[in-house]
Amino acid sequence: MVAGVTSFTLPHDLVGEGPHKVIAVHGWLADRSAFAPVLADLDTGAFAYAVVDLRGYGEARDAPGAFTTAEAAADVVALADHLGWARFSVVGHSMGGAVAQHVLADAPDRVRRIVGVSPVPASGIPMPPEQRELFESAEHAADSRRAIIDFTTGGGRPAAWLRRMADRSFARSDAKAFRAWLDGWTGHDFQDRVTGSPVPALAVVGALDPALSADTMRQTWLPPAAPDRPRAPAGQVPVAHAPPEVEVEVPDVFDPRLYARAVPYDRYRVLRDHHPVAWQDEPAVLGWPAGPGFWAVTRHADVTAVLKDATVFSSHLGATQIRDPDPDDLPFIRRMMLNQDPPGHGGLRRLVSRAFTPRRVARFEALARRRARSLVAGAVAAARAGDGGCDVVAAVTDDYAVLNLADLLGVPASDRGLLLDWTRRVIGYQDPDEAGEQVVGADGRPVNPRSPALLRDMFAYATELAAHKRRHPGDDVLTTLATTPEVSAPELEMCFFLLTVAGNDTVRGAAPGGLLALAGHPAEQRRLRTGEAPMAGAVEELLRWHPPVLSFRRTAACDTELAGRRIRRGDKVVVLHAAANRDERAFADPDRLDLTRAPNPHVSFGDGPHVCLGAHFARLQLTVLYEEFLAAAPVITRAAPPARLVSHFINGLKSLRLNLVG
């Protein structure tokens, strides 16, 4: 480690599980998000990639340091140690190419191969005075950054693209660190330490890049490597510079197993940039049969357009899950408010909303706060008695969500475990840990967990409890529904189903997701603790960052067009909430957690006629829980990677171990 610099673990994304380990290092003008367009096409079976943010960039924007290639090389080796990677390769773009070579100089026995994408040579880059002045002024001057990007990409990119790249560069880097890095990669000459290395090395250059040309690479890159012949016209930022004639493949975002590793934001970005309305195949997976396919909608404007237009994009025709229900079950499933279109949907929604009276809301808030305080205190005590860590899903958030729901509905304490069991069965049916034993029908196919056959016990319970509430009314939602003449028995059953599942899993998914975000962003957590970031806005940003629902389906009621794509009547159209929440067309610097972000038009609770009926209650519960966590836990840091739900529908965490004591 460089003298005077504290040990530091570079923030990183892990992509793939293959045996060949690779660390990818970004360049001077971007953070690790620069690699997002290519991540979806990586061979994740053969390789495992750690895509990092260097000090001064992205999630490490506020990290102190010397901002040199030597320090970065030490950080890369330290990350490899942290990950348990004895041997690894390094891919570096631009300045990251110099870092890759420095890693080779420092740890030659550990590096398998290095690849430089328009790499800065190990000898540095001497600049004439005029060029040096331009590069130094880019610390603060947007025009200078745009000019540098324009020059190094061949001078042919549109002005809007140049502005976007420069704006992203400013948003994802610290100005002082950016300036210090310039001295680091231009003036540090360690060529003698790597010349003649036997480690295989490859340089990939862009035909349009006049600064780091093929001739430059032949003179400066590690012998005996030779530059790769460019496959298509590109400049010094080829990962973001795919020309029109290069076809960008459509990445898969259907497979629920993807989401057990992480929400595939890299794939979402490729879709937003190149295929905003993209056809997705539905292959057989996890024992469930193949489907006909669907249109995936990823841009914020298109997502909200679909959600608001119930005339063209129907919830009623095919219900709201990606998988098609059994045709025999569809009439039953359509009885649920979630699967209805206006005007019928609005009438039932108004009846249900009457149950949420101001007096009931006030009483509920007091109960939720007492419960949060008790559960969090227990978790902190357990952490103090142990190693400082605690699984907050098992100790706090699962119980918090289900017990609050039980209070709201009026479910007796002795029956509250049933609510969590039903939720897991319906929501987690794709995850073996949550779904339990799969039920197979007479035809040998798995039975849909939302079918009448698998919901009989829930509906029988709802009917029995409603009868009890009529005889013994309480101050709860089910009493209101059971004593409202306009609510039929089948509607009451379906309301109980919807409130049980959606009411539970919205908070059950969002609460640990928000805590994980705070744990991973200590600077934002400090702003929240000090009051610099008000809680109300913080809750909205945490919902944007970790939406509890990943997708909802509609069915085209007529032939139409969306983002230039022809949609046929009967086609499935699936909106991806998490993708819309990271759309840079709607959010400035969307990959940065900003607890004071305003405006914040996230779609975590949907939009249009089906906007979440319980959104107010969810926000209230999250506010109370975060306040109690900050009051009771002196620190909130990640102790272990979370275990994620296998689901393309719910953004769930099955476990989340956090450090809660200093």
Side-chain angles (χ1 to χ4, degrees):
M1 181 58 63
V2 177
V5 177
T6 58
S7 177
F8 183 68
T9 300
L10 295 174
H12 58 280
D13 291 323
L14 292 175
V15 181
E17 300 176 349
H20 190 147
K21 314 302 183 184
V22 183
I23 297 176
V25 187
H26 60 80
W28 186 50
L29 289 161
D31 66 336
R32 72 180 191 255
S33 68
F35 289 106
V38 301
L39 297 183
D41 298 316
L42 298 177
D43 184 349
T44 55
F47 299 90
Y49 294 85
V51 187
V52 306
D53 278 334
L54 295 175
R55 299 177 191 238
Y57 291 87
E59 291 185 29
R61 179 177 176 174
D62 300 327
F67 310 112
T68 64
T69 56
E71 176 186 69
D75 286 342
V76 167
V77 173
L79 176 62
D81 292 340
H82 174 75
L83 295 172
W85 293 359
R87 299 214 21 159
F88 55 93
S89 296
V90 187
V91 175
H93 171 230
S94 184
M95 175 181 79
V99 174
Q101 294 169 85
H102 216 299
V103 174
L104 174 62
D106 290 351
D109 295 334
R110 299 185 63 179
V111 176
R112 296 179 59 172
R113 293 172 173 79
I114 66 171
V115 175
V117 182
S118 298
V120 168
S123 57
I125 300 182
M127 294 182 179
E130 301 83 2
Q131 186 180 15
R132 183 76 189 188
E133 182 180 356
L134 172 67
F135 275 64
E136 289 180 352
S137 66
E139 176 182 355
H140 297 294
D143 287 346
S144 297
R145 290 205 196 188
R146 285 197 295 271
I148 293 168
I149 296 169
D150 189 30
F151 173 71
T152 57
T153 55
R157 301 299 288 171
W161 184 87
L162 295 171
R163 283 195 300 273
R164 181 161 61 90
M165 294 295 290
D167 290 347
R168 180 184 295 169
S169 177
F170 274 105
R172 303 298 288 167
S173 63
D174 175 78
K176 291 183 179 178
F178 182 84
R179 174 63 182 83
W181 272 112
L182 176 64
D183 293 337
W185 61 263
T186 58
H188 191 184
D189 184 353
F190 56 95
Q191 184 75 45
D192 59 326
R193 296 184 59 199
V194 294
T195 299
S197 169
V199 172
L202 173 70
V204 182
V205 299
L208 303 181
D209 180 9
L212 296 171
S213 65
D215 287 341
T216 301
M217 291 299 100
R218 291 188 183 96
Q219 297 168 17
T220 61
W221 189 247
L222 300 176
D228 189 25
R229 190 178 299 275
R231 296 179 61 187
Q236 202 199 108
V237 283
V239 293
H241 191 183
E245 63 269 25
V246 176
E247 178 67 24
V248 178
E249 291 187 2
V250 176
D252 169 39
V253 293
F254 167 73
D255 191 334
R257 294 168 295 189
L258 288 171
Y259 299 84
R261 295 192 291 270
V263 177
Y265 286 112
D266 54 335
R267 300 185 181 211
Y268 288 164
R269 181 175 173 186
V270 173
L271 290 178
R272 285 195 307 268
D273 288 349
H274 301 284
H275 307 282
V277 177
W279 185 256
Q280 293 280 309
D281 292 327
E282 276 184 86
V285 62
L286 297 171
W288 296 93
F294 60 92
W295 295 103
V297 184
T298 49
R299 288 184 181 172
H300 187 276
D302 297 327
V303 166
T304 56
V306 170
L307 292 174
K308 289 178 178 178
D309 190 349
T311 302
V312 175
F313 301 103
S314 169
S315 299
H316 180 72
L317 288 178
T320 50
Q321 300 298 301
I322 293 179
R323 288 189 67 253
D324 287 327
D326 188 293
D328 292 338
D329 291 342
L330 189 54
F332 164 81
I333 291 171
R334 284 171 171 167
R335 286 165 26 193
M336 186 185 295
M337 183 169 58
L338 189 67
N339 301 324
Q340 296 179 3
D341 293 331
H345 160 265
L348 183 56
R349 183 182 176 97
R350 285 189 292 274
L351 289 175
V352 175
S353 66
R354 292 178 190 171
F356 300 100
T357 63
R359 185 171 64 85
R360 189 166 289 150
V361 171
R363 184 181 69 86
F364 176 80
E365 180 176 3
L367 288 171
R369 187 168 297 280
R370 288 198 296 271
R371 177 167 292 121
R373 188 167 297 165
S374 174
L375 289 170
V376 173
V380 172
R384 286 201 175 99
D387 61 0
C390 177
D391 179 359
V392 296
V393 172
V396 180
T397 58
D398 266 5
D399 283 347
Y400 181 68
V402 75
L403 294 175
N404 285 344
L405 175 66
D407 280 339
L408 191 64
L409 288 177
V411 173
S414 59
D415 296 339
R416 293 178 177 187
L418 294 171
L419 301 181
L420 185 57
D421 178 64
W422 287 323
T423 301
R424 284 175 170 157
R425 190 195 308 173
V426 172
I427 294 297
Y429 76 94
Q430 295 171 318
D431 191 313
D433 294 339
E434 297 274 302
E437 186 175 353
Q438 193 174 71
V439 178
V440 179
D443 58 359
R445 300 170 64 181
V447 179
N448 191 322
R450 296 173 176 83
S451 70
L454 294 190
L455 294 175
R456 286 195 187 99
D457 57 338
M458 179 190 287
F459 290 157
Y461 180 85
T463 299
E464 182 181 343
L465 184 59
H468 175 79
K469 294 295 181 182
R470 294 185 191 101
R471 296 190 303 269
H472 307 283
D475 185 12
D476 54 66
V477 170
L478 200 60
T479 293
T480 300
L481 295 177
T483 56
T484 299
E486 297 94 329
V487 178
S488 68
E491 287 174 336
L492 186 142
E493 291 174 351
M494 281 308 221
C495 285
F496 183 81
F497 173 30
L498 179 61
L499 293 171
T500 294
V501 175
N504 184 14
D505 228 62
T506 299
V507 174
R508 185 172 172 241
L515 293 171
L516 176 61
L518 292 175
H521 297 82
E524 290 300 292
Q525 186 184 145
R526 284 193 296 273
R527 295 176 72 202
L528 190 57
R529 287 182 180 275
T530 62
E532 179 185 347
M535 181 59 75
V539 168
E540 299 305 313
E541 176 69 349
L542 293 172
L543 282 165
R544 183 191 72 87
W545 191 262
H546 186 102
V549 175
L550 294 165
S551 66
F552 262 117
R553 171 231 180 129
R554 299 291 187 265
T555 303
C558 58
D559 289 354
T560 187
E561 187 172 293
L562 185 65
R565 289 289 188 181
R566 187 69 176 165
I567 311 294
R568 300 296 182 185
R569 182 180 183 276
D571 283 355
K572 291 191 284 189
V573 179
V574 177
V575 295
L576 303 180
H577 298 255
N581 280 355
R582 299 291 181 98
D583 187 355
E584 61 191 3
R585 298 156 190 82
F587 302 93
D589 195 13
D591 294 320
R592 179 179 176 83
L593 184 72
D594 178 2
L595 298 185
T596 56
R597 181 182 299 275
N600 195 341
H602 67 76
V603 291
S604 298
F605 289 134
D607 204 340
H610 281 284
V611 68
C612 179
L613 180 64
H616 172 70
F617 274 87
R619 289 183 169 102
L620 187 155
Q621 291 176 75
L622 294 171
T623 298
V624 167
L625 182 67
Y626 297 150
E627 287 173 349
E628 295 302 324
F629 255 108
L630 294 174
V635 298
I636 302 174
T637 59
R638 200 174 80 168
R644 296 181 180 272
L645 187 69
V646 180
S647 174
H648 51 216
F649 174 44
I650 291 294
N651 193 10
L653 300 181
K654 298 185 291 187
S655 69
L656 175 62
R657 189 165 181 81
L658 298 178
N659 292 315
L660 301 178
V661 295

